[in-house]
Amino acid sequence: EFYLGKTVENITPVNGKYPIGLLGGRIELHFLHYTTFEDAVNCWNRRLKRINKDNLYVIMTERDGCTMDHLKRFGNLSFKHKVAFCSCSFGKDKTFYYVKGFESLGEVDMLSYGKFTLVPEWMKFNWATFFNEK
């Protein structure tokens, strides 16, 4: 809620391949599919108006410096629909989905690319149940 009311500052490097914004002085937004910062921010602002805060689905992946504290804080967020893909088990807590095969890394690698020749464990996640849960 706090950050959604903040403006986006242009921090795109001079020779950047795509625009990058800084939201509220803390959160980087990488606008990979836009050629100009202005177009990206216009789309960002238009999409902000469509957010239904009572019907958000929040997804997190344990990677890029994510710590156990981050995971615990994620678990305490009040969103009804949330899941974090993790390299370790949190028992029966449905907020955390254990992705087997990444234990030695201590984080979950790029889920969309899959590192393994077998069907990646993360593909077993029941997306239909997650998105249709009331």
Side-chain angles (χ1 to χ4, degrees):
E1 189 85 31
F2 173 79
Y3 286 104
L4 296 181
K6 300 296 181 186
T7 58
V8 182
E9 173 189 349
N10 188 353
I11 61 166
T12 307
V14 174
N15 293 322
K17 295 180 181 177
Y18 55 85
I20 301 174
L22 191 64
L23 184 63
R26 288 193 66 190
I27 299 173
E28 282 189 17
L29 302 174
H30 291 249
F31 298 109
L32 298 173
H33 303 289
Y34 297 90
T35 54
T36 70
F37 180 76
E38 292 74 23
D39 285 345
V41 170
N42 286 336
C43 286
W44 171 264
N45 289 327
R46 188 176 68 246
R47 290 174 177 157
L48 277 179
K49 294 174 186 170
R50 297 189 328 217
I51 293 175
N52 177 349
K53 295 174 187 162
D54 296 322
N55 192 29
L56 289 177
Y57 290 78
V58 183
I59 302 167
M60 177 180 178
T61 304
E62 176 196 9
R63 58 173 292 142
D64 298 327
C66 179
T67 66
M68 192 58 67
D69 182 56
H70 292 125
L71 293 171
K72 288 178 183 174
R73 288 171 47 200
F74 180 83
N76 289 330
L77 293 174
S78 62
F79 296 106
K80 183 176 179 181
H81 306 286
K82 63 185 175 188
V83 65
F85 293 99
C86 305
S87 64
C88 61
S89 174
F90 281 81
K92 295 184 181 192
D93 189 334
K94 289 184 179 182
T95 297
F96 303 99
Y97 185 81
Y98 175 30
V99 185
K100 295 177 184 171
F102 293 104
E103 300 84 358
S104 63
L105 288 176
E107 68 175 29
V108 177
D109 202 2
M110 294 293 283
L111 292 178
S112 59
Y113 299 128
K115 280 181 93 160
F116 307 103
T117 53
L118 302 173
V119 175
E121 182 71 22
W122 70 272
M123 291 178 71
K124 295 178 184 176
F125 181 74
N126 193 330
W127 289 102
T129 298
F130 178 68
F131 286 119
N132 290 311
E133 207 170 52
K134 299 291 178 201

